[in-house]
Amino acid sequence: MSQLPSLIYWLTQPVYAATAAAKAKAKRADIGKVAGKAKLGGLPEWNLADLYSGPESPELKADLVTAERAAEAMNERYAGKLAGLLDDGKGGGALAQAVREFEALNDVMGRIVSYASLLYAADTADPKRQKFFGDIQEKITAISSKLLFFPLELNRLDDDALEKAMSSSELGHYRPWLEDLRKEKPYQLEDKLEQLFHEKAVTARGAWDRLFNETMTSLRFKVDGEKLSLEPTLNLLLDPDETKRKDAAEALGKVFKDNVRLFTLITNTLAKDKEISDRWRGFADVADSRHLSNRVEKEVVDALVAAVRDAYPRLSHRYYAMKAKWLGKKKLMYWDRNAPLPEEPKQVIGWDDARKTVLTAYGDFSPRMADIAGRFFAERWIDAPVREGKSQGAFSHPTVPSAHPYILLNYQGKPRDVMTLAHELGHGVHQVLANVQGPLMAPTPLTLAETASVFGEMLTFRRLLDQAPTKRERKALLAAKVEDMLNTVVRQIAFYSFERKVHVERREGELTSERLGEIWLEVQRESLGPAIELKSGYEVFWCYIPHFIHAPFYVYAYAFGDCLVNSLYAVYEKADKGFAERYLDMLAAGGTKHHKELLAPFGLDASDPNFWSMGLKVIEGLIDELEVMDAEKTRA
């Protein structure tokens, strides 16, 4: 269902690379060429038995039957009768019981679809897993259709009667969820239309999403006589050898161009699908539905975008000009953007060392945070190795509160892989803490969901920086962090600008592959600046970004989270005791509080026009430090 996200929230959780740390930064390196399994040590594979023992497990089959029967029973017992539950003389207690039943059923269905999603993500090329994932999606969609009446009917309850019931009964426990639900009310359709949208999702957006995933998994890129999948080919853009970077970039461009007709069709179809939904629901702006689901005001996002675009010259333009000089070039080719610096350590970081680094950084901040993160290693909640057919990038899937999150990585021993681990563990800790809120209120809006992940990265980065033995290594760490921040803030806002232009133009008709390429180059030139040359072939690089397909306008959440964390970390550095406890309380709130309420204990307000400038100045400060180091080296 495109709106009313509280209904079967877990069905919508991504099985693609949903972090800036994993996707936008292109952090990994080809395991066969760079690390070698022996140097990495034993990499863990997750144990999904905490959900189900296998696709044919009796428990899974029993839960499917239970979910179907419970959904039918709820429909028979409550459909068309919720208003009467407020007038039963129990002061809302009967309605609270109905919500509890709905919540419990969400947990069961969420467990089923989470298992199918994770099993599929581990090998998207396996036909049996493809079928299992598709079958589960269809079954859960059919079951949840029987529950569609529940949030729709809740939103038709009288405001005063509902408020009275929440104020005088256990229904008040669900106030945050009910208030969030009612924000969807203006965009709610008649019940039969909602059911049609819901059931058609499997053969509409869901089918196109799956086509994109499986196409990307099947692509092969010929580099130096070897055919590689997407992940290792992207990783070659990090190779110290410029020839390898160039060959990889050209191979990517060639294969993307060979398949651009399909990706253009997917993009046009999904943009039109969204336009239809937005039009029927009454959303005026192309991104309004995302802002609503993120529980963030359009004005706040507009202020963020304006602040970042205004800072392009002071951030990305300035940094990439410096990097060109470091690499002895007048301009960087686009395949040089993430090239390693000569100062960057060449060592391969084994899994055990990565684990110790992140857990120590977390423990220095909060022993409780490190304890929670430690469970991911001890209890096999992480799938780390690169495998043929495995989903690209990284993510932390929340599953359901009755279980626990799972983390997918493609770990290959690069320093930036350690930061990806720190990022995903931040998500994981957040998800574990928020589980106390239950299936309906644990989910966090995307804007705040990136807070814990980016904060985890910052803790790890600061620890590594403090331990840097030489100025040379300190410079390499600073530069890597700046590039990560540029990829998280500048690149993601450029992505958002690209999406806006595409979706606005799509309202007037289809976009050709050439037009999509023109828009892509336009926003990339604006954001990257004159120090980077975008040669022929780069115009098709828009087509591999999964967020454009799976979650339109998701990307600004990364910039939101990074700037927020920069400001939050500045408060932490000046804070007295108690900051860590307040921070963990913020994470444990899950989706029960608005960003304004969550940030108030730290003296921060995202609706303040100056808020975003504070976060961006942190990035400027790191670039300033690199400039000073350059000046000192020149004088020496």
Side-chain angles (χ1 to χ4, degrees):
M1 187 172 177
S2 55
Q3 301 308 314
L4 302 175
S6 50
L7 178 63
I8 321 305
Y9 169 82
W10 313 105
L11 183 62
T12 69
Q13 291 309 289
V15 295
Y16 56 92
T19 75
K23 273 303 304 173
K25 300 170 188 175
K27 285 184 173 180
R28 296 151 300 277
D30 182 10
I31 189 168
K33 295 179 177 290
V34 179
K37 293 182 180 179
K39 293 182 180 180
L40 292 177
L43 295 176
E45 296 186 7
W46 55 29
N47 175 22
L48 298 182
D50 290 349
L51 297 173
Y52 296 103
S53 59
E56 299 298 324
S57 73
E59 295 82 5
L60 191 152
K61 292 179 179 179
D63 278 353
L64 278 169
V65 172
T66 297
E68 185 169 10
R69 290 176 178 173
E72 290 172 350
M74 277 201 73
N75 189 286
E76 183 177 345
R77 186 161 54 249
Y78 295 121
K81 304 170 186 175
L82 293 188
L85 298 183
L86 290 178
D87 302 322
D88 64 351
K90 297 181 181 180
L95 185 58
Q97 174 59 30
V99 174
R100 281 194 291 270
E101 292 176 29
F102 179 75
E103 180 176 45
L105 192 45
N106 264 261
D107 195 89
V108 174
M109 289 190 292
R111 177 181 287 264
I112 295 168
V113 80
S114 294
Y115 176 73
S117 298
L118 293 169
L119 194 69
Y120 173 67
D123 187 356
T124 62
D126 180 0
K128 291 183 179 179
R129 297 189 188 209
Q130 292 171 0
K131 174 176 167 50
F132 177 69
F133 178 57
D135 288 349
I136 290 295
Q137 279 190 312
E138 290 182 9
K139 290 175 182 177
I140 293 298
T141 298
I143 294 170
S144 59
S145 291
K146 298 181 176 68
L147 299 172
L148 199 58
F149 77 93
F150 196 78
L152 299 174
E153 200 168 319
L154 281 173
N155 268 350
R156 288 197 291 267
L157 296 178
D158 179 75
D159 289 343
D160 292 338
L162 183 62
E163 176 58 39
K164 182 179 178 181
M166 288 192 296
S167 301
S168 61
S169 75
E170 60 265 41
L171 188 64
H173 170 73
Y174 293 102
R175 176 184 289 276
W177 178 71
L178 289 166
E179 289 181 346
D180 263 359
L181 190 65
R182 292 179 89 75
K183 291 174 184 174
E184 311 277 353
K185 186 175 180 178
Y187 311 101
Q188 184 173 301
L189 303 175
E190 184 270 328
D191 288 16
K192 287 293 184 182
L193 281 174
E194 290 288 2
Q195 184 173 359
L196 179 63
F197 269 69
H198 184 66
E199 293 187 11
K200 286 283 287 181
V202 173
T203 56
R205 171 166 291 278
W208 291 99
D209 284 356
R210 182 173 165 185
L211 175 62
F212 174 87
N213 285 341
E214 294 178 10
T215 300
M216 275 297 169
T217 299
S218 70
L219 295 182
R220 292 297 177 268
F221 306 84
K222 191 172 182 179
V223 183
D224 195 24
E226 185 178 1
K227 289 186 176 181
L228 304 174
S229 60
L230 178 63
E231 195 74 24
T233 310
L234 287 171
N235 294 332
L236 287 174
L237 298 178
L238 289 165
D239 198 281
D241 187 337
E242 182 178 358
T243 299
K244 291 182 179 179
R245 296 197 301 271
K246 179 175 181 290
D247 289 348
E250 291 178 345
L252 289 165
K254 180 183 183 304
V255 175
F256 291 157
K257 192 170 184 178
D258 290 344
N259 292 272
V260 74
R261 181 181 174 187
L262 173 60
F263 293 124
T264 299
L265 176 60
I266 293 172
T267 300
N268 273 298
T269 302
L270 289 176
K272 183 61 178 178
D273 181 86
K274 185 179 184 303
E275 185 275 328
I276 293 170
S277 176
D278 286 352
R279 175 161 39 85
W280 276 82
R281 295 186 181 282
F283 289 111
D285 185 75
V286 292
D288 277 351
S289 60
R290 174 61 65 194
H291 302 332
L292 179 63
S293 65
N294 281 347
R295 300 299 183 251
V296 62
E297 300 76 15
K298 181 178 184 297
E299 294 74 22
V300 172
V301 177
D302 289 346
L304 164 64
V305 173
V308 173
R309 291 181 68 182
D310 182 66
Y312 283 169
R314 304 190 303 277
L315 300 178
S316 48
H317 296 190
R318 182 163 62 120
Y319 175 77
Y320 290 129
M322 291 170 57
K323 184 169 184 176
K325 183 178 66 174
W326 296 337
L327 296 182
K329 299 172 175 289
K330 291 183 178 180
K331 282 189 174 185
L332 296 173
M333 298 297 105
Y334 68 87
W335 52 76
D336 295 326
R337 184 172 59 83
N338 286 312
L341 299 182
E343 292 87 352
E344 186 170 313
K346 303 300 190 295
Q347 84 273 19
V348 172
I349 301 172
W351 178 253
D352 193 51
D353 287 338
R355 178 185 62 81
K356 290 176 182 176
T357 296
V358 177
L359 291 184
T360 302
Y362 277 28
D364 288 346
F365 173 73
S366 165
R368 184 185 174 202
M369 189 171 169
D371 288 344
I372 295 171
R375 295 184 65 192
F376 283 79
F377 297 93
E379 300 181 38
R380 291 178 58 198
W381 299 353
I382 302 176
D383 193 88
V386 176
R387 288 191 303 271
E388 190 74 18
K390 183 176 177 180
S391 283
Q392 61 192 38
F395 61 72
S396 181
H397 194 303
T399 74
V400 287
S402 62
H404 55 77
Y406 282 95
I407 288 174
L408 179 144
L409 302 171
N410 281 277
Y411 187 84
Q412 300 182 55
K414 298 286 285 185
R416 287 177 173 178
D417 285 326
V418 180
M419 301 305 290
T420 300
L421 175 62
H423 183 107
E424 297 307 332
L425 280 171
H427 278 306
V429 169
H430 190 179
Q431 290 157 354
V432 169
L433 289 169
N435 277 347
V436 69
Q437 302 297 341
L440 298 181
M441 296 184 290
T444 305
L446 296 179
T447 42
L448 295 171
E450 290 301 328
T451 300
S453 54
V454 179
F455 196 85
E457 280 192 79
M458 183 66 83
L459 290 172
T460 305
F461 163 70
R462 290 294 179 182
R463 175 171 178 79
L464 291 173
L465 193 65
D466 290 343
Q467 294 179 333
T470 65
K471 285 188 176 181
R472 181 183 177 88
E473 290 191 37
R474 182 179 178 85
K475 177 183 176 182
L477 284 168
L478 280 171
K481 184 59 178 174
V482 167
E483 291 190 16
D484 286 352
M485 287 175 152
L486 294 181
N487 282 326
T488 307
V489 177
V490 169
R491 187 163 169 80
Q492 301 307 310
I493 293 302
F495 283 177
Y496 177 70
S497 298
F498 172 78
E499 284 189 281
R500 286 198 61 85
K501 290 174 181 289
V502 169
H503 282 263
V504 168
E505 287 197 20
R506 182 64 183 90
R507 290 186 170 188
E508 304 302 319
E510 288 199 4
L511 286 78
T512 64
S513 302
E514 291 74 18
R515 180 56 186 151
L516 287 166
E518 289 171 0
I519 298 173
W520 175 254
L521 291 177
E522 178 185 325
V523 298
Q524 292 301 309
R525 288 192 178 104
E526 179 195 19
S527 63
L528 298 176
I532 291 187
E533 186 171 343
L534 304 178
K535 284 186 169 289
S536 176
Y538 188 67
E539 70 278 0
V540 291
F541 270 56
W542 56 268
C543 67
Y544 83 92
I545 309 298
H547 304 73
F548 298 161
I549 304 302
H550 302 302
F553 304 108
Y554 182 110
V555 289
Y556 74 73
Y558 293 132
F560 192 111
D562 196 275
C563 289
L564 189 158
V565 165
N566 288 341
S567 300
L568 196 62
Y569 199 87
V571 173
Y572 164 56
E573 289 184 310
K574 300 174 184 176
D576 297 325
K577 290 183 178 180
F579 179 94
E581 289 73 19
R582 295 199 305 276
Y583 174 77
L584 295 181
D585 286 345
M586 178 181 74
L587 301 187
T592 63
K593 295 180 180 179
H594 185 265
H595 63 77
K596 201 174 187 72
E597 188 178 359
L598 286 171
L599 294 177
F602 305 98
L604 299 173
D605 183 358
S607 63
D608 182 341
N610 297 318
F611 175 79
W612 303 115
S613 297
M614 292 168 51
L616 294 170
K617 283 179 181 176
V618 173
I619 308 176
E620 285 188 62
L622 296 179
I623 298 174
D624 289 343
E625 186 173 347
L626 286 168
E627 284 188 333
V628 170
M629 294 175 77
D630 260 11
E632 290 175 349
K633 183 178 179 181
T634 301
R635 286 197 297 272

